[in-house]
């Protein structure tokens, strides 16, 4: 329960400029692919930002920054999963910095932003988070049941949005390079 409370406490984000005060950041549904050997640690302590010692990026040093990698496209998460099972998560992207591999490889979070948004070569969005409280793993899913988990998370996002005034649920979903919202693949 502490993970849930910590995440939702981050929903109000400070505003600057003429609109000083706070704003609610919309929730996004994201997926995180990893090895089965990491499942227990994630379930007990959440996803962790790589520190280079106890938590490391497996495939590279972080193309779009040194953080927790997720995507709104489950196909990409399944490509990173070693055991064909991924975490379906709720996330608070907040203000997103558009990162590039050339400029932002291995860097910490860009000042003034809440997360980084980068695109794979095929246009699939990758959201990079730099704080554990921004991502909440909710389900372990495989190719057969990820659409059911996505539908359940959509209902949860809608309820949270209605109860908190936390924007429209689709506001937190980044678009792929073609401008379409990244939605789950048919499963």
């Amino acid at each position: 329960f502490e993970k849930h409370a910590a995440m939702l406490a981050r929903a109000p984000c400070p505003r600057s400029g003429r609109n000083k005060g706070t704003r609610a950041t919309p929730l996004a549904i994201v997926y995180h692919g990893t090895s089965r050997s990491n499942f227990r640690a994630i379930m007990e302590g959440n996803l962790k930002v790589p520190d280079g010692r106890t938590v490391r990026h497996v495939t590279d040093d972080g193309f779009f920054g040194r953080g927790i990698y997720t995507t709104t496209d489950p196909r990409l998460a399944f490509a990173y999963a070693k055991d064909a099972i991924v975490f379906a998560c709720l996330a608070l992207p907040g203000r997103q910095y558009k990162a590039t591999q050339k400029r932002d490889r291995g860097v910490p979070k860009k000042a003034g932003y809440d997360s980084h948004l980068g695109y794979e070569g095929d246009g699939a969005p990758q959201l990079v988070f730099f704080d554990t409280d921004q991502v909440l793993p909710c389900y372990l899913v495989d190719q057969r049941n990820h659409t059911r988990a996505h539908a359940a998370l959509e209902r949860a996002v809608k309820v949270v949005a209605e109860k908190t005034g936390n924007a429209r649920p689709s506001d937190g979903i980044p678009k792929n390079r073609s401008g379409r919202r990244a939605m789950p693949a048919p499963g």
Side-chain angles (χ1 to χ4, degrees):
F1 182 73
E2 291 83 24
K3 290 185 279 187
H4 299 81
M7 180 197 189
L8 290 174
R10 288 184 61 95
C13 295
R15 281 188 178 166
S16 58
R18 285 186 286 157
N19 298 322
K20 285 191 185 245
T22 60
R23 64 174 166 77
T25 183
L27 289 164
I29 299 168
V30 297
Y31 298 88
H32 177 79
T34 189
S35 171
R36 185 180 298 265
S37 63
N38 296 325
F39 289 178
R40 177 66 48 206
I42 292 170
M43 289 186 286
E44 291 175 355
N46 207 348
L47 294 160
K48 303 285 186 198
V49 176
D51 61 9
R53 294 182 319 275
T54 58
V55 178
R56 299 172 192 221
H57 280 131
V58 174
T59 57
D60 53 61
D61 56 352
F63 279 162
F64 304 114
R66 191 175 55 245
I68 300 165
Y69 275 68
T70 66
T71 179
T72 55
D73 187 338
R75 293 169 295 197
L76 181 59
F78 282 116
Y80 282 96
K82 304 288 185 248
D83 302 300
I85 299 172
V86 303
F87 282 93
C89 309
L90 290 176
L92 291 165
R95 187 168 181 222
Q96 299 171 354
Y97 168 71
K98 189 166 181 183
T100 66
Q101 291 180 18
K102 184 176 182 180
R103 181 184 59 221
D104 301 302
R105 187 174 185 138
V107 302
K109 178 179 72 169
K110 181 81 167 175
Y113 292 86
D114 302 305
S115 62
H116 288 186
L117 172 62
Y119 292 92
E120 282 283 310
D122 63 359
Q126 290 194 31
L127 286 84
V128 185
F129 296 98
F130 299 88
D131 192 315
T132 299
D133 293 342
Q134 289 178 274
V135 186
L136 180 66
C138 298
Y139 296 103
L140 275 170
V141 299
D142 61 23
Q143 301 260 359
R144 293 181 321 259
N145 68 4
H146 79 276
T147 53
R148 284 186 306 198
H150 189 91
L153 290 173
E154 281 181 328
R155 289 189 299 275
V157 167
K158 186 175 180 183
V159 168
V160 169
E162 289 170 356
K163 299 283 184 192
T164 64
N166 188 9
R168 292 184 314 275
S170 63
D171 288 344
I173 302 172
K175 295 177 175 139
N176 61 22
R177 275 209 182 116
S178 66
R180 294 187 311 270
R181 296 212 184 270
M183 299 306 288

